[in-house]
């Protein structure tokens, strides 16, 4: 007798990645040998003391529990259920979580389905293995500054005419655009190593395990970033040649970010002092976002050169995480409900900064006032979700956890933003 | 329906986050400001900057503070820092770009070296031709040194041009400052005509180790297939420095032709044999693992 489980609407193991968000799953009796009536089974974590952990529910609106009892029809038709990662027990290695199906009577194991509870984590808390997988995948994606990474970098440059930067900054589309940008990068990394997620640099706290040669590099007195002798990022190549220039105005091992004008806004202040509606929260673009960037000198301190420093993506991952935290705190997941985005009415806003607009460059739109070229093509696809559309609209970036509609899940979660 | 233990955990998690973020901080985060706020002019500069994002008049005031040598240096730095931050999201600053760069150019010869350095950096990232010309003049001795040579080369890297490469090769050949030579080597990774030079530097066992490491990275990012055989020789040479061998092997892993590498049985057999040695350095061990993972275990 045997059962099969399919996650995220697919029987392929490439879809066996979940976060905290409840995900659709099915189970069926694939081999009924020995059964003469519907089979009572229990779903549970195979190991509860190691690896990622999951919780189950019979349906999306049901409470989640450590085990789930189901009765499977003999004819092999699939039964739906819901599975999600059990906060805070994320995986640390690929497929270190497993759903075990046992007979309710007798406990015979009918199947084990390996999966990963894959979430974006604080860069300062990564294990050495997680860190090395990330830097290894990132170095491969960089590929001498060519290929897909060049597209990702070219999405964020300044030109004198119809600047790409206007598509992503200075207006309400700032947060959705960068969420899509990070997602595009992360999916490309996962095409290289499916266990990798984009970590975030928690810039309001010391990060002694991040700014080291083995990870995002330590700045020497001359501004050159030392990636050591074993970090694959030492081959990082851009238009500025091999290597990275970065000069922090603070000591990242002992302090949060800050510059001559003061420290970066703390997480608590970001959640407390920027209001409960998007119209006020968008001020986070100024501080902490701009302040974090300008806490350094060199490439990361200018929007046109910032993506040439790999730290850029960890910085922006934290900006996005703060938005995600704010969304959860204030219930701002439904773009159709006031407060989740700009209050309607008022003067018109530029294209790319309205809920219904698709976002450059993924939409390929080069009609003025959009930029004159659109590098990279559509947003990278994912094995675990079909959201967002390859040419995503601003509104698709808001319900990223699928709270309004599970089909909206974008395929990522943050370690400290549970569902 | 009754909540489960897990649902209660989640609800409690958010309650706790709300409670924590609602608290006024017991102590203000330690101010990492480099300069004291007691200087009233710094406080004024900050106040101007706080409302400057959509205000051209306030932006012009910040430009004026930067270019005015009689302003306290702390205020000038504060204004410059604010403008660097506003560059990310101020459409008006974008529209005033010409005036902004003018103000920065006025400071290139300022007596304060940090201010000079910072404006040159911004201008270099803006690909400003005047700043580039001044840097090149200082490197060739035709103008006064604005910043140390190694720093001038770093700034040129923001907009490297083909006409810079002969100067860089000169610095590699003649400079007696290791950091300046190293900077020049890094920048030559953008010059296809320097591939031979980079190969020679990597192959020279008497050359500085950092220069050799930078050379192989630049070389293989430029012309991997052409030099793979020579790099392999160095990787397999037991008399060579292990860090240099590791760097060569890692560069091959990342930049080498996967088909050619897979077909080189002699090289791969030697790599597998090296892997069995116990006395390998950490860097060589990691490089061997990386190469095997990328090319031999697929």
């Amino acid at each position: 007798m045997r059962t099969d489980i399919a996650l995220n609407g697919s029987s392929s193991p490439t879809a066996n990645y979940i976060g905290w968000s409840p995900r659709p799953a099915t189970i069926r009796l694939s081999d009924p040998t020995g059964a003469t009536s519907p089979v009572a089974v229990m779903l549970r974590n195979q190991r509860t003391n190691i690896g990622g952990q999951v919780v189950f529910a019979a349906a999306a609106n049901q409470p989640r529990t450590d085990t789930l009892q189901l009765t499977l029809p003999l004819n092999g038709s699939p039964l739906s259920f819901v599975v999600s990662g059990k906060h805070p027990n994320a995986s640390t290695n690929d497929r270190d979580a497993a759903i075990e199906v046992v007979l309710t009577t007798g406990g015979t194991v009918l199947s084990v389905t390996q999966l990963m509870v894959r979430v974006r984590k604080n860069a300062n808390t990564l294990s050495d293995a997680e860190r090395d997988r990330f830097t290894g995948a990132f170095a491969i994606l960089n590929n001498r500054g060519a290929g897909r990474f060049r597209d990702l970098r070219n999405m964020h440059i300044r030109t004198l005419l119809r600047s790409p930067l206007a598509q992503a900054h200075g207006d309400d589309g700032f947060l959705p655009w960068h969420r899509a940008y990070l997602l595009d990068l992360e999916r490309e990394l996962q095409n290289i190593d499916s266990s990798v997620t984009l970590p975030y640099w928690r810039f309001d706290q010391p990060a002694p395990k991040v700014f080291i040669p083995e990870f995002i590099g330590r700045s020497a007195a001359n501004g050159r970033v030392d990636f050591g002798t074993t970090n694959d990022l030492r081959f990082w190549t851009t238009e500025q040649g091999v290597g990275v220039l970065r000069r922090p105005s603070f000591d990242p091992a002992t302090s949060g970010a800050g510059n001559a004008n003061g420290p970066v806004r703390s997480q608590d202040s970001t959640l407390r002092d920027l209001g409960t509606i998007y119209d006020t929260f968008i001020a986070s673009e100024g501080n902490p976002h701009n302040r974090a960037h300008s806490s350094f000198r060199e490439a990361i301190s200018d929007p046109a050169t910032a993506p040439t420093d790999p730290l850029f993506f960890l910085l922006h991952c934290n900006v996005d995480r703060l938005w995600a935290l704010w969304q959860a705190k204030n219930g701002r997941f439904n773009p159709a409900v006031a407060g989740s985005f700009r209050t309607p009415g008022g003067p018109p806003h530029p294209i790319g900064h309205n809920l219904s607009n698709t976002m450059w460059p993924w939409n390929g739109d080069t009609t003025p006032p959009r930029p004159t070229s659109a590098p990279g093509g559509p947003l990278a696809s994912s094995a675990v979700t079909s959201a967002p559309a390859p040419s995503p609209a601003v509104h698709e970036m808001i319900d990223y956890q699928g709270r309004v509609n599970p089909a909206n899940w974008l395929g990522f979660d943050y370690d400290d933003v549970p569902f | 329906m009754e909540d489960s233990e897990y649902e209660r955990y989640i609800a409690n998690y958010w309650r706790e986050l709300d409670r924590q973020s609602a608290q006024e901080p017991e102590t203000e985060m330690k101010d990492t400001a480099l300069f004291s706020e007691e200087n009233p002019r710094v406080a004024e500069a900050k106040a101007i900057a706080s409302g400057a994002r959509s205000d051209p008049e306030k932006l012009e005031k910040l430009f004026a503070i930067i270019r005015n040598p009689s302003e306290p240096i702390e205020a000038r730095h504060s204004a410059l820092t604010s403008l660097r931050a506003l560059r990310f999201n101020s459409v008006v600053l974008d529209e005033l770009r010409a005036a902004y760069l003018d103000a920065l150019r006025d400071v290139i010869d300022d007596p304060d070296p940090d201010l000079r350095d910072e404006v040159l950096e911004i201008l270099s990232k803006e690909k400003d031709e005047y700043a580039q010309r001044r840097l090149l003049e200082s490197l060739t001795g035709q103008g006064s040194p604005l910043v140390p040579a190694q720093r001038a080369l770093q700034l040129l890297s923001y907009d490297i041009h083909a006409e810079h490469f002969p100067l860089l090769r000169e610095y590699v050949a003649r400079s007696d400052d290791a950091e300046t030579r190293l900077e020049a080597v890094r920048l030559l990774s953008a010059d296809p005509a320097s591939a031979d030079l980079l190969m020679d530097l990597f192959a020279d066992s008497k050359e500085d180790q950092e220069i050799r490491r930078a050379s192989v990275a630049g070389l293989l990012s430029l012309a991997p297939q052409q030099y793979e055989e020579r790099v392999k020789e160095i990787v397999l040479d037991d008399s060579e420095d292990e860090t240099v061998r590791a760097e060569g092997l890692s560069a091959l892993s990342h930049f080498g032709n996967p088909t050619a590498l897979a077909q080189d049985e002699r090289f791969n057999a030697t790599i597998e044999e090296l892997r069995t040695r116990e006395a390998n350095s950490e860097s060589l061990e990691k490089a061997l693992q990386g190469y095997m993972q990328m090319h031999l275990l697929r």
Side-chain angles (χ1 to χ4, degrees):
Chain A
M1 198 184 306
R2 192 190 150 70
T3 53
D4 283 339
I5 284 180
L7 301 177
N8 291 316
S10 168
S11 55
S12 167
T14 59
N16 289 4
Y17 295 88
I18 63 174
W20 310 131
S21 304
R23 299 305 303 150
T26 59
I27 180 172
R28 57 184 284 267
L29 198 62
S30 51
D31 178 358
T33 305
T36 54
S37 58
V39 180
V41 299
M42 179 168 66
L43 281 62
R44 65 189 185 191
N45 288 281
Q46 184 187 37
R47 297 176 301 263
T48 55
N49 60 343
I50 191 170
Q53 302 290 302
V54 302
V55 282
F56 307 93
N61 57 353
Q62 303 289 305
R64 291 164 290 178
T65 51
D66 288 340
T67 61
L68 181 66
Q69 307 269 10
L70 294 171
T71 303
L72 305 182
L74 263 184
N75 65 2
S77 6
L79 215 58
S80 297
F81 67 99
V82 165
V83 64
S84 48
K86 183 183 181 183
H87 188 273
N89 302 104
S91 293
T92 52
N93 291 295
D94 201 4
R95 298 171 198 281
D96 67 2
I99 299 172
E100 185 175 69
V101 181
V102 300
L103 285 174
T104 303
T105 306
T108 303
V109 176
L110 301 183
S111 68
V112 174
T113 304
Q114 290 180 314
L115 69 152
M116 185 180 189
V117 180
R118 185 177 67 181
V119 300
R120 294 177 180 176
K121 297 182 178 180
N122 185 332
N124 203 52
T125 66
L126 296 183
S127 67
D128 289 356
E130 288 173 312
R131 176 199 70 201
D132 291 349
R133 288 198 299 268
F134 169 71
T135 55
F138 213 177
I140 291 172
L141 183 66
N142 176 250
N143 189 22
R144 291 174 271 160
R148 188 73 179 104
F149 181 78
R150 185 183 288 263
D151 294 331
L152 289 161
R153 174 250 183 277
N154 284 344
M155 294 175 194
H156 204 276
I157 61 173
R158 171 183 294 108
T159 57
L160 292 178
L161 184 66
R162 287 158 59 185
S163 169
L165 290 178
Q167 297 296 304
H169 300 83
D171 210 302
D172 296 310
F174 164 73
L175 288 170
W177 190 94
H178 282 85
R179 179 165 281 175
Y181 186 45
L182 297 180
L183 188 62
D184 204 7
L185 174 91
E186 184 177 66
R187 289 181 175 183
E188 293 291 351
L189 291 174
Q190 288 167 348
N191 282 339
I192 296 166
D193 182 340
S194 52
S195 72
V196 164
T197 56
L198 192 54
Y200 58 89
W201 166 43
R202 175 105 191 238
F203 41 60
D204 64 328
Q205 289 184 337
K209 290 182 65 182
V210 178
F211 291 86
I212 57 175
E214 295 84 355
F215 198 169
I216 216 65
R218 177 186 295 136
S219 297
N222 65 6
R224 276 287 166 198
V225 174
D226 174 19
F227 288 113
T229 57
T230 58
N231 185 346
D232 289 336
L233 288 179
R234 68 195 185 282
F235 298 114
W236 187 265
T237 307
T238 65
E239 289 82 353
Q240 283 106 50
V242 180
V244 176
L245 285 169
R246 184 193 309 143
R247 295 173 199 262
S249 307
F250 62 104
D251 181 356
T254 59
S255 169
N259 60 29
N261 292 333
V264 75
R265 186 189 292 278
S266 70
Q267 172 172 302
D268 286 345
S269 171
T270 301
L271 297 178
R272 182 186 62 234
D273 301 328
L274 293 182
T276 60
I277 57 174
Y278 193 87
D279 303 69
T280 50
F281 183 74
I282 193 61
S284 59
E285 183 179 10
N287 190 359
H289 165 261
N290 290 3
R291 181 69 59 91
H293 271 284
S294 58
S295 293
F296 298 87
R297 295 266 306 276
E298 308 296 349
I300 199 166
S301 67
D302 187 293
T305 52
T308 63
D309 185 339
L311 174 64
F312 168 89
F313 297 95
L314 280 67
L315 182 159
H316 261 280
C317 196
N318 196 48
V319 172
D320 188 77
R321 183 187 68 91
L322 290 169
W323 180 29
L325 270 172
W326 177 87
Q327 286 184 279
K329 188 173 179 294
N330 297 286
R332 301 296 185 210
F333 291 99
N334 191 339
V337 172
S340 298
F341 198 67
R342 179 177 69 244
T343 302
H349 284 248
I351 192 165
H353 296 275
N354 305 284
L355 275 174
S356 61
N357 293 159
T358 56
M359 293 184 286
W360 178 95
W362 305 286
N363 60 8
D365 186 7
T366 56
T367 310
R370 304 278 203 178
T372 53
S373 64
L379 194 86
S381 63
S382 167
V384 303
T385 179
S386 55
S391 173
V394 169
H395 69 85
E396 292 182 77
M397 310 315 294
I398 293 177
D399 185 26
Y400 83 94
Q401 282 188 313
R403 290 179 187 245
V404 177
N405 181 344
N408 292 341
W409 182 56
L410 295 183
F412 72 91
D413 273 296
Y414 287 101
D415 57 355
D416 61 355
V417 190
F419 189 107
Chain B
M1 178 166 301
E2 196 179 317
D3 269 347
S4 65
E5 183 180 335
Y6 183 66
E7 303 299 349
R8 288 192 293 276
Y9 159 81
I10 294 294
N12 193 53
Y13 178 92
W14 288 115
R15 268 196 298 272
E16 180 57 27
L17 183 77
D18 274 346
R19 186 194 66 76
Q20 185 185 317
S21 62
Q23 282 175 347
E24 291 296 322
E26 288 178 2
T27 55
E28 286 297 317
M29 178 183 280
K30 184 176 176 185
D31 196 329
T32 58
L34 299 174
F35 304 104
S36 168
E37 272 192 12
E38 291 172 6
N39 186 317
R41 199 61 188 130
V42 174
E44 282 174 38
K46 286 184 187 179
I48 294 169
S50 72
R53 188 183 145 214
S54 305
D55 189 331
E57 248 183 69
K58 288 190 174 174
L59 288 170
E60 299 269 10
K61 283 183 180 172
L62 292 175
F63 301 164
I65 291 173
I66 291 169
R67 66 184 352 143
N68 186 348
S70 58
E71 289 274 7
I73 195 67
E74 296 91 338
R76 299 171 81 191
H77 271 292
S78 172
L80 197 51
T81 301
S82 297
L83 286 165
R84 285 198 292 112
L86 285 168
R87 203 71 179 99
F88 281 88
N89 68 339
S90 170
V91 172
V92 178
L93 181 56
D94 237 15
E95 292 164 356
L96 292 177
R97 180 178 178 267
Y100 176 40
L101 298 189
D102 260 345
L104 297 179
R105 289 189 200 105
D106 282 352
V107 186
I108 282 181
D109 295 296
D110 195 275
D112 185 270
D114 291 337
L115 200 65
R116 266 201 322 269
D117 189 291
E118 196 169 348
V119 299
L120 277 167
E121 179 193 311
I122 298 170
L123 286 166
S124 297
K125 285 184 285 190
E126 294 281 348
K127 303 186 194 303
D128 183 68
E129 282 187 33
Y130 175 70
Q132 271 205 4
R133 179 162 56 78
R134 294 290 309 272
L135 285 168
L136 283 168
E137 285 172 358
S138 75
L139 283 168
T140 56
Q142 295 173 302
S144 53
L146 301 171
V147 291
Q150 184 242 352
R151 180 58 175 152
L153 293 179
Q154 283 185 348
L155 294 174
L156 284 178
S157 76
Y158 284 113
D159 187 24
I160 199 79
H161 292 171
E163 64 252 33
H164 300 155
F165 294 141
L167 178 65
L168 294 172
R169 288 196 283 269
E170 277 284 312
Y171 267 93
V172 172
R174 298 192 197 292
S175 174
D176 52 14
D177 180 75
E179 283 199 1
T180 304
R181 289 185 74 228
L182 181 57
E183 202 61 51
V185 165
R186 287 185 194 275
L187 300 189
L188 286 173
S189 66
D191 177 24
S194 293
D196 278 349
L197 170 62
L198 295 175
M199 183 67 240
D200 290 343
L201 289 170
F202 180 59
D204 183 356
S205 58
K206 297 189 187 58
E207 183 56 82
D208 175 86
Q209 197 189 87
E210 287 298 315
I211 297 254
R212 295 184 75 188
R213 289 179 57 207
S215 299
V216 74
L219 170 72
L220 289 183
S221 79
L222 266 178
Q225 282 82 56
Q226 201 175 340
Y227 295 96
E228 268 180 30
E229 293 309 313
R230 288 188 66 190
V231 172
K232 282 179 193 173
E233 282 170 31
I234 293 167
V235 170
L236 296 181
D237 184 351
D238 279 337
S239 69
E240 262 294 357
D241 178 279
E242 281 207 354
T243 306
V244 171
R245 295 172 75 187
E247 200 72 351
L249 184 57
S250 293
L252 278 172
S253 296
H254 282 272
F255 302 137
N257 180 319
T259 307
L261 287 171
Q263 290 171 351
D264 190 339
E265 290 179 6
R266 180 190 75 95
F267 181 74
N268 291 333
T270 313
I271 293 298
E272 294 198 27
E273 188 269 323
L274 267 176
R275 183 79 173 81
T276 64
R277 293 187 195 176
E278 286 185 7
N280 291 330
S281 65
E282 186 196 354
S283 58
L284 184 57
E285 192 58 35
K286 177 98 192 289
L288 289 165
Q289 273 178 30
Y291 179 83
M292 291 189 69
Q293 245 173 334
M294 289 176 76
H295 294 285
L296 298 186
L297 298 178
R298 297 198 164 194

